[in-house]
């Protein structure tokens, strides 16, 4: 299934000075999850999206957005 | 970085490396490369060793392994990306099983197969490809990044 969202995880992660592994450890998920979400390979569940938001201290809407073509449907 | 996370990462990376080899092992075993089955034999050793091996492989595929690791480590190692990769692997194995079943159906009137051999072919090719698919997806997810 093609992904419907884009994300700014890498930007906020790097601003926070965290590696993928450090972010993953704080979220209690694998580094693989952070890597695949960041690279747009995997679309996370609501729970994982909220974990990203909580650890990075950003609202979910700042981290994830619908792709333009999806938003216009 | 906490100990549970590091244990989970080590397990996850080990699993990604081991899964394709386990898959290949199952496929090679089916080909008679490692052991030649005596189809239709009533040898309890042959029956139960292969049955036990196949059941353990199936359980590993369905659960992701890590049976002896603490619950928290297992939760990290079996997070939603791993579960999604396992779902794709299971679907892949199912499709392969269907294809092999159809081939057995089509070929067996001309090249009769002992039922035990047919079952072995279907289960082995299905499990083998599922493990290879799982391992490759896990390895790709672990690749690159920082």
């Amino acid at each position: 299934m093609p992904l419907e969202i884009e994300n700014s995880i890498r930007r906020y992660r790097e601003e926070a000075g965290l590696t993928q592994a450090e972010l993953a450890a704080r979220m209690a998920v694998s580094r693989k999850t952070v890597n695949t979400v960041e690279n747009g390979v995997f679309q996370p569940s609501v729970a994982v999206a909220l974990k990203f938001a909580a650890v990075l201290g950003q609202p979910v809407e700042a981290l994830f957005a619908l792709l333009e073509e999806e938003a216009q449907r | 970085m906490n100990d549970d996370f590091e244990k989970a990462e080590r397990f996850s990376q080990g699993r990604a490396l081991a899964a394709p080899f386990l898959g290949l092992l199952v496929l090679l075993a089916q080909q008679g490369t490692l052991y030649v089955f005596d189809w239709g034999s009533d040898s309890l050793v042959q029956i139960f060793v292969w049955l036990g091996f196949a059941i353990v492989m199936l359980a590993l595929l369905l659960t992701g392994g890590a049976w002896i690791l603490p619950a928290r480590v297992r939760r990290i190692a079996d997070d939603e990306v791993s579960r999604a990769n396992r779902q794709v692997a299971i679907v892949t194995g199912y499709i392969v099983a269907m294809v092999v079943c159809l081939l057995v159906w089509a070929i067996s009137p001309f090249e009769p197969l002992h039922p035990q051999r047919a079952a072995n072919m279907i289960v082995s090719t299905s499990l083998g490809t599922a493990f290879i698919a799982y391992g490759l997806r896990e390895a790709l997810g672990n690749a690159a990044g920082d």
Side-chain angles (χ1 to χ4, degrees):
Chain A
M1 191 175 74
L3 294 186
E4 301 163 293
I5 61 174
E6 52 188 0
N7 73 82
S8 310
I9 300 290
R10 185 187 303 273
R11 177 162 72 93
Y12 286 106
R13 176 178 62 78
E14 287 174 350
E15 277 179 13
L18 296 171
T19 62
Q20 286 184 342
E22 287 166 344
L23 177 58
R26 293 184 188 198
M27 290 170 58
V29 297
S30 64
R31 188 189 72 80
K32 178 172 65 246
T33 294
V34 174
N35 190 30
T36 50
V37 171
E38 256 187 29
N39 293 321
V41 171
F42 183 76
Q43 189 163 295
S45 66
V46 170
V48 169
L50 288 171
K51 283 183 184 180
F52 272 113
V55 172
L56 292 173
Q58 300 291 334
V60 171
E61 294 80 5
L63 299 177
F64 300 96
L66 278 172
L67 287 170
E68 267 191 41
E69 54 264 34
E70 291 295 329
Q72 283 163 9
R73 283 197 192 176
Chain B
M1 226 172 305
N2 67 63
D3 200 37
D4 287 345
F5 173 79
E6 285 171 7
K7 279 184 191 163
E9 281 298 296
R10 277 198 302 273
F11 173 80
S12 180
Q13 285 167 14
R15 180 175 57 190
L17 283 175
F21 286 106
L22 277 176
L24 276 173
L25 180 69
V26 171
L27 290 173
L28 286 174
Q30 192 278 319
Q31 291 296 311
T33 310
L34 304 173
Y35 173 78
V36 180
F37 288 94
D38 178 14
W39 305 113
S41 163
D42 59 359
S43 160
L44 291 178
V45 173
Q46 178 176 282
I47 290 171
F48 284 106
V49 166
W50 188 83
L51 202 56
F53 176 68
I55 288 171
V56 167
M57 293 289 285
L58 184 60
L60 281 172
L61 184 64
L62 293 176
T63 64
W67 297 329
I68 59 172
L69 293 178
R72 183 172 151 73
V73 175
R74 224 170 27 246
R75 260 198 307 279
I76 297 171
D78 195 38
D79 64 0
E80 65 181 39
V81 169
S82 276
R83 290 196 300 273
N85 287 342
R86 229 176 26 256
Q87 287 301 315
V88 170
I90 289 167
V91 168
T92 304
Y94 172 77
I95 292 169
V96 167
M98 289 293 106
V99 169
V100 175
C101 279
L102 292 172
L103 286 171
V104 167
W105 168 265
I107 293 170
S108 58
F110 310 102
E111 191 70 41
L113 282 175
H114 192 280
Q116 206 178 40
R117 184 172 188 190
N120 184 289
M121 279 172 60
I122 293 162
V123 171
S124 297
T125 51
S126 170
L127 278 177
T129 49
F131 266 85
I132 291 170
Y134 183 44
L136 289 177
R137 289 185 70 87
E138 289 282 285
L140 279 172
N142 284 329
D146 55 38

